[in-house]
Amino acid sequence: MSTVTNPILPGCYPDPSICRVGEDYYLVTSTFEYLPGLPVLHSRDLVTWEQIGHVVHRPGQLDYTGIASSGGLYAPTIRHHDGLFWVICTLVGQPQGNPGGNFLMTATDPAGPWSDPMWLDADGIDPSIFFDDDGRIWVHGTRLAREPQWYHQTEVWIRELDPETKKLTGPEHVVWSGAVKGAVWAEAPHLYKVDGTYYLMAAEAGTEFHHAESIAQAEVVTGPYVGTRGNPILTHRHLGRQYPVVGAGHADLVEAADGSWWAVLLAMRTYGGYHYPLGRETFLVPVVWEDGWPVFAPGVGRVPDQVEVPFATGPATGLVQGGTSGVVPSDDPRWTAVRALPTQVATPAGDGWDLPLRPATLADLEVPAFLGLRLQHRDADLVVRVGADLTDGEEVGVAVRQSEKDHVRLAVTTHEGVVRAQVVHRQGGEDRVVGEAAVAGGAPLTLVVRARGVDLDLLVGAGDDAPVVVGSALTTDLDTVATGGFLGLWLGVYGTSNGAPTGTVAHVERVEYLPA
Ligand code: 6LW
């Protein structure tokens, strides 16, 4: 028996989906505009998780051109059938004329390689796939209702997939709009068959404070689906905004090898008031079946802080964080870039990276020279040692990123041989300088993001000098409660020539992510 502390995946790991193959569990989450996309996490016991790869890991697999922050990859579903892993997902926010929408990818090894996308003729988001025991395959998803009877009414549709052509075929069935009349955003639908009955489980009320999970059953896969009187089967909305975990929903079920049932779902841990800078995280909840319906967290009725997993023997670490030293080597799977793969913007070099500056800035809808990782702890430091021979107009720095419009950066620049550092808070698309300091001394520079709850300090030190604070900001000005969107915060290193052609390469000697 092991006891794991929730969340099992801390930081921005939203919209989890899980499947089991023998004794192995595989889980995927959304990644929006970040690449590589859709991390594949593996566990043998639900308590110790390791990242083994990504579904979107190859240049050219998907085109992220022009995709704004909080667009991109939403809400994947992972299933295993007949020796093949299937992921179905949506690429959101493609400019007109480019492929986008719902697609399938398959792999024989969940660590990859994964196939190119097989695009589906279906609009909407949150697709899922169900393999019935009669050999038929059913795709389902959600979209704004074609003939809405209330504002933001969505509808869950089901349609058959032809296994040969991988195209949708036959009639479409609209089966669900949420458990309550007037429900908004029926999302993350997943079909299951348990003891001969079909179950359609879906979230509703939006991926925010009112988020809730509901379930319905049918005798035939295409419905009609009838909800349980017990809906919603899980929500935290009745606990109020002071409760430290909010927004529970977007669940997926898995049956363990011993016959026990579990759900993974997203929720947010608040701090600094009603804010969640770490974003939507993945939690584990035990499930039992009573009278033909699932009961989430029996006896507790909400997402438990700690979960006992009887068959687990592991150290219950949740997602294992980097090395003990905190150094993030360039092959660490947590590295992500924006609209491109890390290896398309930088080259691994020693413990670090060679990062060629790019004309694009963090504010542009392009590929910036940015390498980052999720903020996974309230209190953590990102410490970067970087050297660059900048010319006037160029900058290298560290950033706390929500989006193009909202981020805080410590920018080191040079002007006529004078090096200085500025902390710039870009808020709602407007830059504001919140701190400034001269930088004198040797190379390389040490750039630090120090997150302590709501407080963010950005520091610079030259050569062997101890870093000093240049400016400060608040994580609660950067989270999605403040800015909108779907993301938790990212910390990273960046370099830009601010629009000018450049041949400058920053050498990122060392990056450490240090939970404090
Ligand atoms: C996702 C939707 C949601 O598509 O947020 O919790 C959206 N739910 O299901 C983006 O993550």
Side-chain angles (χ1 to χ4, degrees):
M1 154 103 69
S2 295
T3 302
V4 71
T5 300
N6 264 322
I8 54 169
L9 309 182
C12 184
Y13 289 98
D15 309 330
S17 173
I18 190 168
C19 71
R20 178 177 66 85
V21 185
E23 308 245 303
D24 295 283
Y25 299 86
Y26 300 96
L27 190 157
V28 290
T29 63
S30 300
T31 39
F32 304 93
E33 74 272 25
Y34 288 101
L35 275 162
L38 311 182
V40 181
L41 297 125
H42 169 247
S43 178
R44 297 275 294 176
D45 57 9
L46 297 173
V47 305
T48 308
W49 289 89
E50 184 200 2
Q51 195 171 323
I52 57 168
H54 286 89
V55 177
V56 182
H57 54 85
R58 246 194 337 270
Q61 225 175 340
L62 289 175
D63 183 1
Y64 283 67
T65 308
I67 289 185
S69 186
S70 282
L73 292 181
Y74 282 23
T77 299
I78 186 166
R79 296 290 183 258
H80 180 263
H81 179 73
D82 236 357
L84 204 60
F85 287 88
W86 297 65
V87 161
I88 186 166
C89 190
T90 318
L91 183 68
V92 177
Q94 272 279 11
Q96 289 268 310
N98 286 337
N102 292 297
F103 63 87
L104 283 162
M105 288 182 179
T106 57
T108 47
D109 181 347
W114 284 81
S115 73
D116 282 331
M118 295 167 264
W119 297 100
L120 297 171
D121 180 19
D123 58 356
I125 57 167
D126 294 13
S128 187
I129 187 165
F130 168 67
F131 297 88
D132 207 345
D133 44 23
D134 61 2
R136 295 173 81 177
I137 306 173
W138 298 89
V139 170
H140 37 297
T142 191
R143 64 182 180 215
L144 282 168
R146 296 267 199 261
E147 290 166 25
Q149 278 148 21
W150 58 83
Y151 181 65
H152 276 173
Q153 182 187 347
T154 45
E155 59 194 20
V156 175
W157 55 270
I158 297 179
R159 214 176 152 198
E160 194 165 4
L161 184 85
D162 183 323
E164 298 305 319
T165 62
K166 310 277 194 306
K167 302 270 184 223
L168 295 174
T169 178
E172 179 188 81
H173 306 266
V174 173
V175 292
W176 189 246
S177 263
V180 297
K181 197 167 182 190
V184 297
W185 305 115
E187 291 181 320
H190 292 301
L191 277 175
Y192 312 91
K193 193 174 193 177
V194 182
D195 293 337
T197 300
Y198 295 94
Y199 289 86
L200 175 70
M201 191 170 76
E204 66 192 64
T207 187
E208 220 273 325
F209 179 72
H210 295 97
H211 216 191
E213 197 67 28
S214 290
I215 195 160
Q217 58 175 221
E219 281 169 23
V220 179
V221 67
T222 51
Y225 281 85
V226 179
T228 167
R229 283 186 280 171
N231 278 329
I233 49 173
L234 184 77
T235 185
H236 276 203
R237 60 190 172 205
H238 60 300
L239 298 169
R241 283 175 202 264
Q242 303 299 319
Y243 193 74
V245 177
V246 298
H250 201 123
D252 194 11
L253 292 171
V254 67
E255 184 181 8
D258 71 350
S260 60
W261 285 77
W262 304 85
V264 289
L265 51 85
L266 74 78
M268 302 80 91
R269 290 179 291 168
T270 56
Y271 56 98
Y274 188 75
H275 288 279
Y276 35 89
L278 300 175
R280 299 172 302 153
E281 309 178 285
T282 291
F283 292 70
L284 180 70
V285 176
V287 172
V288 297
W289 289 80
E290 287 182 8
D291 307 323
W293 295 103
V295 177
F296 277 52
V300 178
R302 57 192 156 79
V303 177
D305 297 336
Q306 306 234 293
V307 180
E308 285 179 359
V309 180
F311 55 82
T313 51
T317 49
L319 178 62
V320 179
Q321 313 292 328
T324 44
S325 68
V327 174
V328 189
S330 51
D331 61 359
D332 189 302
R334 286 176 296 169
W335 281 113
T336 41
V338 175
R339 295 178 205 100
L341 291 160
T343 46
Q344 290 175 297
V345 298
T347 311
D351 264 348
W353 299 83
D354 280 335
L355 179 69
L357 271 54
R358 286 176 168 241
T361 72
L362 295 176
D364 294 329
L365 215 54
E366 287 173 38
V367 177
F370 172 85
L371 287 169
L373 28 88
R374 293 162 179 83
L375 176 64
Q376 293 187 283
H377 305 82
R378 281 169 211 211
D379 303 325
D381 291 335
L382 186 80
V383 182
V384 176
R385 297 268 284 178
V386 61
D389 279 327
L390 300 175
T391 58
D392 288 14
E394 296 181 336
E395 61 182 81
V396 67
V398 285
V400 184
R401 182 179 190 273
Q402 166 63 241
S403 66
E404 292 81 62
K405 290 190 170 123
D406 290 276
H407 50 257
V408 172
R409 66 190 203 272
L410 170 74
V412 176
T413 55
T414 177
H415 185 62
E416 292 170 358
V418 180
V419 181
R420 61 183 190 141
Q422 276 190 333
V423 172
V424 182
H425 183 176
R426 185 170 180 81
Q427 197 166 16
E430 300 286 330
D431 275 358
R432 187 162 46 90
V433 177
V434 296
E436 205 158 355
V439 182
L445 299 167
T446 302
L447 310 180
V448 181
V449 176
R450 189 166 66 197
R452 293 291 180 275
V454 300
D455 294 311
L456 275 176
D457 290 328
L458 294 101
L459 299 81
V460 66
D464 294 327
D465 295 350
V468 294
V469 175
V470 179
S472 304
L474 298 174
T475 57
T476 47
D477 283 337
L478 289 168
D479 80 329
T480 55
V481 177
T483 68
F486 294 120
L487 287 157
L489 299 184
W490 249 254
L491 308 179
V493 51
Y494 78 97
T496 178
S497 57
N498 286 300
T502 177
T504 302
V505 178
H507 178 56
V508 183
E509 277 181 18
R510 189 179 166 92
V511 179
E512 291 167 281
Y513 178 91
L514 302 163

